[in-house]
Each structure stands twice: as C-alpha cells, then as structure tokens.
Amino acid sequence: MNHREFFNEIADKWDQMCNHDEAKLRYITKMAGISQGDCVLDVGTGTGVMIPYIHEMIGDEGEITAIDLAEKMLEVAKQKYPFSNVRFVLGDICDLYLPKNHFDVIMCYSVFPHFQDKPKVISRMAGLLKPSGRLVIAHSQSRRAINKLHAESYDAVNSDDLPEADVIEQFMKEAGLEPFHTVDSEEMFIVISKK
C-alpha cells in the first residue's frame, strides 16, 4: 500500500486517531509570522488541521491553497472548512503546477516525514516562496515521538522519518533559505526559514 492509498483509507478516522494541541497549533502559526492578507500554501493539509488557524490570521483578504495527495483527506477538509478563500488541490507538491515566487508562507504541518526526497521537496517549496517568504516545517509532538509513532505504525509509513533539525536546516540552506527559528524539544518540533 502506498502513501496515497493509506491516507485515503484512514481519512474518515484521522481526526479521531490524531490529537493536535490547539495551543501548540496557535503557537506554530504565530511563529510562522502569518499576516492579514497573506497567501499561504498548506502542504499535506490532510483533513485541514491547520486551516482554521491560518484562516484566522489571513482573514478574508488572504488565500490558502491546501494540497494533499489523498482525495479522501481533501473531501474531509472541504466539508469541515468551506471558506471561500481556500482552494483545495489534489496532487504531489513536486508535480503540481503552482506559481513561483507567489506564497508568503508555506506550511508543512505533520507531513514532512512522509516525503521520500526531502531535499528536493524543500528546494521545490523554496522556489514557490516570495522574496522574504517563510517555510515552516512543524509537528505538535517531539521528533522522537513522531519517529516512534511511525516506526510502530502501518507498513505504508513505518519507515517515514523526521530528520534532526540541523539536517533540515542544512537542506533549507542548500535551497537558498535562511533558518531563523528552531524548536526541537520534548514538546514540539519546528524549523522555520525565510527566503
């Protein structure tokens, strides 16, 4: 079973399976520096966990492009958050046509371990950011907890690994981004860089 099949299969149960701490999600969006009117790309949106927090910060003037590989995840997200300024897109970040230098913020919440070619994905996202745009890779759990969860999980994801923060920072630097905020604690994992 591949990633797409796996996430389609568990889409209806996802929100019951995963616990996302609201205070941590608010902290992540605040650290991302999201402002009123921003264009935000939510990569691997899943059931749209981050959408209400991003939407609260961008207001009605901003826009969210929420992409995911699994159509059933997007269906759940669409039902939950039918905001007029959210566009749901099915596909892979590396294959989709998306406008270059367009996004103020790219959010990768709770998705980064599932990318197979992590440097390629970061490079691709760097090209989509506006000058001074920010890339956020974040989890509301520790790196250790995420990796343990995946290792003990289904075959489709049991080798999906969240690298150490300094490895991700290096990928970002190689893509022309400048890491400026990192949290790698027992509480959460965040690496933020800017173009």
Side-chain angles (χ1 to χ4, degrees):
M1 184 182 294
N2 64 28
H3 281 99
R4 183 176 156 266
E5 293 163 343
F6 170 72
F7 286 111
N8 273 328
E9 192 172 286
I10 63 169
D12 291 332
K13 301 175 279 201
W14 187 253
D15 288 339
Q16 289 73 47
M17 288 168 60
C18 298
N19 176 34
H20 301 277
D21 183 313
E22 183 178 337
K24 290 180 183 179
L25 300 183
R26 289 190 184 284
Y27 177 80
I28 291 165
T29 49
K30 184 179 177 211
M31 289 299 102
I34 299 169
S35 303
Q36 195 84 6
D38 275 357
C39 293
V40 179
L41 178 62
D42 185 15
V43 178
T45 193
T47 59
V49 171
M50 291 303 281
I51 288 174
Y53 303 98
I54 297 169
H55 190 267
E56 197 175 278
M57 298 186 88
I58 64 166
D60 293 331
E61 302 304 307
E63 65 178 50
I64 301 171
T65 301
I67 67 172
D68 204 276
L69 202 59
E71 57 272 23
K72 289 207 164 85
M73 286 284 199
L74 286 179
E75 284 169 21
V76 173
K78 278 182 201 175
Q79 287 170 2
K80 284 164 55 181
Y81 305 113
F83 299 120
S84 61
N85 58 339
V86 179
R87 188 169 67 105
F88 294 95
V89 179
L90 177 66
D92 183 316
I93 180 71
C94 288
D95 300 332
L96 285 169
Y97 169 76
L98 293 162
K100 289 185 181 200
N101 306 309
H102 179 75
F103 297 98
D104 296 288
V105 176
I106 298 178
M107 179 69 70
C108 286
Y109 174 72
S110 203
V111 68
F112 196 70
H114 306 303
F115 296 127
Q116 301 311 299
D117 188 341
K118 292 171 175 63
K120 179 182 177 186
V121 171
I122 287 179
S123 177
R124 165 81 169 129
M125 292 188 290
L128 302 174
L129 285 170
K130 290 178 180 174
S132 299
R134 293 165 306 288
L135 171 60
V136 181
I137 294 173
H139 288 266
S140 56
Q141 293 172 278
S142 71
R143 190 175 67 81
R144 192 173 51 80
I146 293 294
N147 287 338
K148 184 175 187 291
L149 182 73
H150 289 154
E152 296 170 355
S153 188
Y154 303 87
D155 288 349
V157 296
N158 68 9
S159 62
D160 292 358
D161 188 60
L162 180 60
E164 293 180 12
D166 59 351
V167 172
I168 294 175
E169 288 173 350
Q170 189 55 41
F171 294 157
M172 289 172 163
K173 288 173 188 170
E174 287 165 7
L177 302 174
E178 179 190 327
F180 69 90
H181 183 80
T182 299
V183 177
D184 186 356
S185 70
E186 285 304 306
E187 291 299 309
M188 61 171 54
F189 182 91
I190 310 172
V191 183
I192 307 176
S193 58
K194 68 178 174 195
K195 195 166 180 178

